[in-house]
Amino acid sequence: MKAVTWQGPRKVSVETVPDPVLEKPKDAVVEITSTAICGSDLHLYEVLGPFMTPGDIIGHEPMGRVVEAGSETNLRVGDRVVIPFQIACGDCFFCNQGLQTQCETTQVTEQGSGARLFGYSQIYGAVPGGQAQYLRVPHADYGPIVVGEELPDHRYLFLSDVLPTAWQAVAYAQRSAGESVAVIGLGPIGQFAARIAKHQGLTVYAIEPEAERREMAARHGVLVFDTGDDSVAAIRDATQGRGPDAVIDAVGMEAHGDTQSMLGKLAQRSAQFLPEKLSQPMMENFGMDRLAALYTAIDLVRRGGTISLSGVYGGQASPLPMLTLFDKQIQVTMGQANVRNWIDQILPLVEDPADPLGVDDFVTHRLPLHEAPGAYEMFQKKEDGCIKVVLDPQATA
């Protein structure tokens, strides 16, 4: 089969690799009909190279049809399914708490990490990912979400990651209708976090440097601002001088904008070109994130407010302004999205003919799988108005 493989920093290629097969009774093999490039895939593309091996199959936002089902899966050949990005058993203590990303059965204990993730580095188990023509799905008795036949793939595809991640970001902001939230970053997660917050009755502000992304969010009732001190001041003025009740950081470790972020970028890039025996310990123990978005969130949120982190962070030595966090009495919530925990609330919205979350206004590029290398570069450089890329692994041209 064909699959998108990691080959080095800022380099992916489409290669022929062995077809997946059933290995356990709870496995399924799914023919992938749509698979998306996630903003966190860019962290593999740019930053997390020390934890990657050339040839690793990447991608964690797939859906398709079951072509083989293990005897303990309750799936049938032909079922149309969305695959959550984390692999969870559904039976352990943490799964029963709705914390599927901490699944005790699939934890990557050798890395001290939570549940295994599809296509996301040694840190999360080096499991072959979903930017491929076929995917082996472990724990398919629990993970796959069986969906209907009437709607196109894009209505369901983002149940794999983007929608649950954005939904959790809003839930973790701990706000109610009539309150306010600011979203920093209007990439895929920020777009849906803003729309979900608006759908739930919040006043939503957003800060984003790219005009196309601001325009998309504005179509859904979001009050948008370019980056800079003037935007922070304007949002503060609009919230009685206090700042919004919550801020969602949808950017993460590769933010731009301050001196610390430049130092973090230098540290991240330096680690990529060290031998593996040196680069992994450097990232694990001394890695620094680019924290411009988080610093903006801390500055902007009102006293006693909440910061919800949905952007991925990975630095163990990232400096935080603890005095400000403590003095302002800020609550900080974070974590990988627990996909299965939110699906029952989101699925009716993506199937609603009124499309209340605007899923039809989200995908900017749909390309055949073989164009993945160019798509990664375009997404990373924010070219051609690129906000969300969906790859078609079954396209022949």
Side-chain angles (χ1 to χ4, degrees), residues 329-364:
Q329 204 167 331
I330 296 170
Q331 299 181 63
V332 182
T333 59
M334 67 189 81
Q336 302 273 14
N338 303 293
V339 173
R340 272 292 192 174
N341 194 49
W342 308 110
I343 289 299
D344 289 347
Q345 297 173 64
I346 305 171
L347 184 57
L349 298 176
V350 303
E351 293 185 325
D352 187 335
D355 190 20
L357 301 183
V359 181
D360 287 338
D361 180 27
F362 184 55
V363 178
T364 55

Side-chain angles (χ1 to χ4, degrees), residues 38-41 43-44 48 60-61 84-87 98-103 108 113-121 123-125 160-169 172 189 253 308-314 333-342:
C38 179
S40 58
D41 287 329
H43 302 323
L44 304 179
L48 295 177
H60 58 268
E61 295 186 0
F85 72 92
Q86 76 252 178
I87 301 167
L99 296 171
Q100 290 87 355
T101 57
Q102 310 306 322
C103 175
V108 188
S113 303
R116 281 170 163 73
L117 309 181
F118 287 106
Y120 212 76
S121 81
I123 301 172
Y124 289 107
S160 60
D161 179 357
V162 181
L163 280 167
T165 297
W167 193 277
Q168 180 171 294
Y172 280 14
I189 302 302
M253 67 170 72
S308 173
L309 303 183
S310 64
V312 174
Y313 284 96
T333 59
M334 67 189 81
Q336 302 273 14
N338 303 293
V339 173
R340 272 292 192 174
N341 194 49
W342 308 110

Side-chain angles (χ1 to χ4, degrees), residues 232-244:
V232 171
I235 295 172
R236 190 173 285 121
D237 288 346
T239 52
Q240 297 76 50
R242 302 187 189 99

Side-chain angles (χ1 to χ4, degrees), residues 65-239:
R65 291 192 180 276
V66 176
V67 293
E68 291 185 79
S71 59
E72 298 180 18
T73 64
N74 298 316
L75 293 173
R76 297 175 299 178
V77 172
D79 280 346
R80 190 183 187 204
V81 294
V82 177
I83 311 301
F85 72 92
Q86 76 252 178
I87 301 167
C89 72
D91 293 324
C92 70
F93 171 85
F94 287 115
C95 285
N96 287 327
Q97 296 292 313
L99 296 171
Q100 290 87 355
T101 57
Q102 310 306 322
C103 175
E104 288 181 304
T105 303
T106 72
Q107 279 179 12
V108 188
T109 54
E110 63 271 23
Q111 294 283 347
S113 303
R116 281 170 163 73
L117 309 181
F118 287 106
Y120 212 76
S121 81
Q122 297 170 30
I123 301 172
Y124 289 107
V127 181
Q131 289 173 12
Q133 291 179 310
Y134 296 91
L135 176 68
R136 181 179 76 88
V137 182
H139 293 281
D141 57 318
Y142 177 68
I145 303 157
V146 180
V147 298
E149 297 289 341
E150 296 79 15
L151 297 173
D153 275 12
H154 74 262
R155 275 295 190 98
Y156 291 113
L157 176 62
F158 308 114
L159 295 172
S160 60
D161 179 357
V162 181
L163 280 167
T165 297
W167 193 277
Q168 180 171 294
V170 176
Y172 280 14
Q174 302 172 1
R175 303 325 324 166
S176 301
E179 295 187 291
S180 60
V181 62
V183 177
I184 300 177
L186 286 171
I189 302 302
Q191 291 287 338
F192 272 128
R195 299 180 199 186
I196 289 164
K198 182 71 176 175
H199 174 73
Q200 294 181 0
L202 280 73
T203 300
V204 185
Y205 308 92
I207 298 175
E208 165 59 49
E210 299 296 324
E212 296 91 346
R213 297 181 176 202
R214 294 197 302 271
E215 291 165 5
M216 176 180 278
R219 292 198 292 269
H220 298 273
V222 178
L223 303 171
V224 296
F225 300 82
D226 202 344
T227 54
D229 293 340
D230 290 347
S231 296
V232 171
I235 295 172
R236 190 173 285 121
D237 288 346
T239 52

Side-chain angles (χ1 to χ4, degrees), residues 348-383:
L349 298 176
V350 303
E351 293 185 325
D352 187 335
D355 190 20
L357 301 183
V359 181
D360 287 338
D361 180 27
F362 184 55
V363 178
T364 55
H365 296 77
R366 185 172 179 93
L367 302 168
L369 190 73
H370 68 81
E371 294 188 25
Y376 266 85
E377 182 176 6
M378 174 177 61
F379 188 27
Q380 199 256 352
K381 293 181 178 178
K382 301 182 178 67
E383 296 174 339

